[in-house]
């Protein structure tokens, strides 16, 4: 529609006398909403979490809590329609993008105290094991076990070597603490340690 000067006049869209105008506006808004990215849960639903002995992928249905414990059916297809076997998830598993969130998922859903979290596999980095037992560190510290390595030297040198091995990894995967050899093994464990707030402690019931 053009006005007397031959230019487009869009005021008719807002005119209450034209019900079609409101429909057009609603369609425009709806189209804009569809264009927005839809946030997705980290792992809820049918999720690739491991590989079989022959290298074929394994899938499991992860609930919205992103937490798995006890017995669950493992599937061989990405739609979780073809069951393969039943597995017992012990220790429990948390599905998250980083260890900090995995630790929270473990603490919220586990009935027992969580010592720390560790990645289930170097490839499946979004899957973490909830390790139970006495909490590592202080009440407000949380620990993620990154990897174990062979090193001969002191703790300072071991931490430097841990960081060297972690080059290229995201910042939240950088080690800042090590634990030395024990009677059970002669390797060093590389950890990521962080502090949590009082609100966090209330949220997880710790």
């Amino acid at each position: 529609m053009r006005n007397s000067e031959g230019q487009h006049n869009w005021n008719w869209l807002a005119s209450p006398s034209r019900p079609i105008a409101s429909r057009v506006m609603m369609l425009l808004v709806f189209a804009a909403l569809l264009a927005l990215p839809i946030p997705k849960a980290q792992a809820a639903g049918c999720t690739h979490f491991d590989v079989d002995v022959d290298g074929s992928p394994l899938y499991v249905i992860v609930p919205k809590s992103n937490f798995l414990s006890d017995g669950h059916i493992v599937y061989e297809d990405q739609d979780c329609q073809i069951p393969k076997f039943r597995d017992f998830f012990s220790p429990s598993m948390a599905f998250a993008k980083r260890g900090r969130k995995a630790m929270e998922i473990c603490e919220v859903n586990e009935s027992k105290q969580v010592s720390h979290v560790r990645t289930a596999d170097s490839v499946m980095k979004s899957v973490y094991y909830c390790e139970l037992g006495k909490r590592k560190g202080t009440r407000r510290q949380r620990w993620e076990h990154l990897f174990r390595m062979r090193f001969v030297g002191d703790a300072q040198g071991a931490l430097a070597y841990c960081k060297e091995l972690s080059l290229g990894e995201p910042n939240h995967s950088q080690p800042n603490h090590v634990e030395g050899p024990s009677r059970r093994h002669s390797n060093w464990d590389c950890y990521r340690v962080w502090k949590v707030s009082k609100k966090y402690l209330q949220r997880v019931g710790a």
Side-chain angles (χ1 to χ4, degrees):
M1 181 179 292
R2 296 177 182 272
N3 57 19
S4 60
E5 297 178 357
Q7 298 177 336
H8 283 287
N9 181 6
W10 298 105
N11 291 334
W12 67 277
L13 285 173
S15 173
S17 61
R18 296 181 180 270
I20 191 174
S22 60
R23 295 178 184 175
V24 172
M25 293 301 291
M26 288 177 64
L27 287 174
L28 291 174
V29 172
F30 185 65
L33 290 174
L34 287 178
L36 294 174
I38 301 174
K40 296 181 180 179
Q42 168 59 28
C46 188
T47 303
H48 177 204
F49 80 101
D50 203 354
V51 293
D52 206 350
V53 290
D54 60 358
S56 59
L58 298 175
Y59 301 86
V60 67
I61 298 177
V62 181
K64 290 183 179 180
S65 64
N66 284 330
F67 177 81
L68 281 183
S69 185
D70 300 327
H72 289 271
I73 297 175
V74 175
Y75 299 85
E76 62 181 56
D77 66 308
Q78 59 185 358
D79 296 320
C80 289
Q81 297 294 321
I82 307 173
K84 195 164 189 176
F85 56 84
R86 186 173 179 84
D87 197 5
F88 190 80
F89 290 81
S90 179
S92 303
M93 300 174 73
F95 292 72
K97 290 182 179 179
R98 54 189 298 187
R100 188 181 293 261
K101 184 61 180 178
M103 187 69 185
E104 182 176 352
I105 292 172
C106 289
E107 290 198 282
V108 167
N109 292 280
E110 269 289 357
S111 58
K112 298 180 180 179
Q113 189 174 74
V114 180
S115 169
H116 62 284
V117 295
R118 65 177 174 88
T119 50
D121 186 86
S122 59
V123 178
M124 306 301 294
K125 294 184 178 180
S126 61
V127 184
Y128 294 82
Y129 286 124
C130 308
E131 297 290 351
L132 304 181
K134 183 180 179 181
R135 181 184 297 112
K136 283 184 172 291
T138 65
R139 180 170 178 262
R140 291 184 60 176
Q141 280 185 339
R142 295 300 181 270
W143 293 44
E144 174 189 355
H145 182 267
L146 300 176
F147 55 89
R148 177 172 289 176
M149 65 171 191
R150 288 185 176 275
F151 180 78
V152 178
D154 59 10
Q156 184 177 356
L159 180 57
Y161 191 48
C162 280
K163 292 180 178 179
E164 181 181 337
L165 295 177
S166 299
L167 289 177
E169 294 293 331
N171 182 56
H172 57 76
S173 297
Q174 292 295 314
N176 57 7
H177 185 78
V178 292
E179 282 193 347
S182 67
R183 294 178 180 177
R184 292 183 298 173
H185 61 82
S186 59
N187 299 324
W188 289 81
D189 291 299
C190 304
Y191 289 91
R192 179 71 179 175
V193 181
W194 65 94
K195 284 188 176 181
V196 295
S197 64
K198 292 182 179 179
K199 289 184 178 180
Y200 174 94
L201 296 178
Q202 293 174 352
R203 187 161 63 247
V204 302

